Amino acid sequence: MNIKDLSLTELGKWLASKKEPGYRAKQIFQWLYQKSAADFNEMTNLSLALRDQLQKEFSFSSLKLSKRLVSAIDSTEKYALTTEDDLHIETVVMPYDDRCTICLSTQVGCRYGCSFCASGARGFKRNLTAGEILDQITTARQFKHAVTHVVFMGMGEPMDNLDNVLKAVQTINSPDGFGIGGRRITISTAGLIDGIIKLQQVYSTLPQIELSISLHAPNNALRNKLMPINRQYPVEALMQASRDYIAATNRQITFEYILIDKLNSSRKDAEALADLLKGIKCQVNLIIFNPQSISKQGETFHAPPEEAILDFQDVLFKRKIPCTLRASRGKDISAACGQLITELLRNGKKTTRRVSF
Ligand code: SF4
């Protein structure tokens, strides 16, 4: 078992079973998450006997780095990581001047099959454990990235693996863990209402994390086409769940909206989106579709022209819907969800892009 699968409390219980004092749990956490120890033997304030015991019962890391790509455009990094059972996931690190955001995977593959997403096209394999989620941050820290913000927006649907995601969140937030504040941690969902309700129910026991919903279409006809999950949880139900969540937690929600040319990015779509979100305490993130088009069932998607993007944003501004426009990062390194792994598998693990280890 990966030692990072244990919460601070669980580690304390394991230590108690070995007749070790409770404070050792914090010491071990600090070695794992703050001092980036690479081995139990580095934990020099523990006795040799305890280090031996830890070595016998736990593995130290659950992921192997298969490939690291660095964008020549914006320094975004993408890691292809291999699990102990030889499955593949990816992690994206986005360094900015004043912060460093990591985008974490939560599952191997995804069962929801959104038509614009490479992860969905590969189907679902299994949930990641809390340790595998945390090891993605450990990997980024190996490359000297001081991660300040965490978004659960990589491969997989976080609400479909919520227990492990929330366990990881506790360690990410813990002062003895990565020590990242709740408001810098965002859980996203494609609209799994059961998960939103569950998160709402346990919210008071958590750090004040942010919720983000990938909306991408303002009505059922279009959303059914882009995101099959909408057939199970239609737009009206999703909006009601959002209102309930905001009322119960007193937090706002961010709605993600990927702008795709000739599909969901007309002025009419923007007006429909503004109608849908009217009165909801929210923020909209407009994301320009990563121009590396992904085809599914004969469809190829592209980013809209700049004029259409600005028009869309203008409608939301005029309708007083708070919104920001974000360009896709890492365009030269397949940084959108699932793209790198799909490409590696397709190309027999060969790539012509800039690679460094
Ligand atoms: S966008 Fe998210 S929910 Fe949709 S298929 Fe991709 S990983 Fe799954």
Side-chain angles (χ1 to χ4, degrees):
M1 182 187 206
N2 180 359
I3 189 158
K4 299 189 189 89
D5 283 331
L6 298 185
S7 67
L8 193 62
T9 310
E10 288 167 340
L11 187 55
K13 282 186 187 155
W14 180 84
L15 286 160
S17 75
K18 307 290 172 200
K19 309 268 183 289
E20 289 283 344
Y23 66 83
R24 294 270 184 240
K26 288 189 174 192
Q27 288 178 322
I28 294 170
F29 250 49
Q30 286 160 12
W31 280 112
L32 291 173
Y33 303 112
Q34 294 178 3
K35 300 178 193 171
S36 299
D39 192 273
F40 290 114
N41 282 323
E42 287 185 23
M43 301 182 177
T44 47
N45 54 359
L46 308 183
S47 68
L48 268 177
L50 178 55
R51 279 184 258 163
D52 280 352
Q53 195 77 48
L54 286 163
Q55 199 95 48
K56 269 189 211 130
E57 296 209 21
F58 299 107
S59 63
F60 202 84
S61 177
S62 53
L63 300 175
K64 207 171 91 231
L65 182 68
S66 306
K67 210 163 261 301
R68 174 183 174 227
L69 303 181
V70 183
S71 167
I73 300 172
D74 56 22
S75 299
T76 295
E77 293 193 14
K78 185 152 196 170
Y79 309 133
L81 300 161
T82 306
T83 62
E84 282 171 344
D85 51 346
D86 208 25
L87 298 171
H88 306 286
I89 61 163
E90 10 175 271
T91 304
V92 178
V93 179
M94 293 161 280
Y96 299 84
D97 289 345
D98 57 345
R99 66 190 197 280
C100 178
T101 301
I102 190 166
C103 179
L104 300 178
S105 291
T106 54
Q107 297 180 313
V108 183
C110 179
R111 50 176 123 238
Y112 291 102
C114 299
S115 57
F116 51 83
C117 173
S119 294
R122 290 179 52 233
F124 174 76
K125 295 278 190 323
R126 69 166 173 83
N127 286 332
L128 294 183
T129 67
E132 288 169 324
I133 293 169
L134 294 166
D135 268 331
Q136 295 171 65
I137 305 179
T138 308
T139 303
R141 287 171 61 109
Q142 281 167 14
F143 296 103
K144 308 289 175 219
H145 290 297
V147 174
T148 57
H149 292 69
V150 174
V151 294
F152 289 89
M153 291 186 187
M155 185 183 282
E157 161 56 53
M159 294 293 184
D160 196 32
N161 185 18
L162 193 58
D163 290 345
N164 287 336
V165 166
L166 293 183
K167 193 174 191 184
V169 161
Q170 298 285 14
T171 298
I172 291 167
N173 177 251
S174 165
D176 300 300
F178 288 118
I180 296 174
R183 295 193 183 196
R184 294 177 168 200
I185 302 170
T186 301
I187 295 182
S188 83
T189 177
L192 198 61
I193 292 179
D194 297 346
I196 296 172
I197 293 170
K198 191 170 171 193
L199 182 63
Q200 177 185 317
Q201 287 166 345
V202 298
Y203 196 82
S204 61
T205 67
L206 298 169
Q208 287 202 328
I209 54 173
E210 306 290 339
L211 174 64
S212 163
I213 296 178
S214 301
L215 192 57
H216 308 325
N219 57 57
N220 285 322
L222 187 50
R223 202 161 188 270
N224 284 347
K225 189 171 148 109
L226 286 174
M227 306 177 76
I229 192 175
N230 194 71
R231 297 199 177 100
Q232 194 180 349
Y233 301 106
V235 166
E236 301 74 26
L238 184 56
M239 289 303 113
Q240 190 52 52
S242 301
R243 286 191 195 89
D244 294 345
Y245 178 89
I246 292 163
T249 61
N250 199 27
R251 306 285 300 150
Q252 73 167 25
I253 289 176
T254 299
F255 290 98
E256 308 287 337
Y257 195 102
I258 297 180
L259 292 166
I260 305 172
D261 192 29
K262 296 188 179 59
L263 203 65
N264 66 353
S265 54
S266 67
R267 282 190 81 90
K268 202 170 147 213
D269 294 324
E271 293 285 1
L273 180 62
D275 289 342
L276 190 69
L277 300 181
K278 195 173 167 198
I280 297 181
K281 191 168 136 191
C282 69
Q283 162 85 26
V284 175
N285 271 347
L286 297 175
I287 304 154
I288 304 168
F289 186 71
N290 190 321
Q292 292 183 34
S293 309
I294 298 162
S295 298
K296 195 192 173 195
Q297 294 159 351
E299 287 178 296
T300 306
F301 297 134
H302 300 277
E306 194 180 328
E307 199 185 331
I309 294 166
L310 296 176
D311 258 8
F312 196 99
Q313 192 183 26
D314 186 53
V315 170
L316 295 187
F317 277 146
K318 286 192 173 128
R319 296 283 304 273
K320 306 223 175 333
I321 305 288
C323 93
T324 53
L325 181 61
R326 287 198 278 130
S328 296
R329 287 181 56 109
K331 286 177 187 167
D332 55 335
I333 58 162
S334 307
C337 179
Q339 283 186 350
L340 174 59
I341 293 298
T342 302
E343 192 166 302
L344 288 177
L345 294 175
R346 195 190 293 138
N347 295 343
K349 306 201 174 187
K350 281 187 191 142
T351 179
T352 54
R353 294 192 171 84
R354 180 182 158 200
V355 179
S356 58
F357 289 92

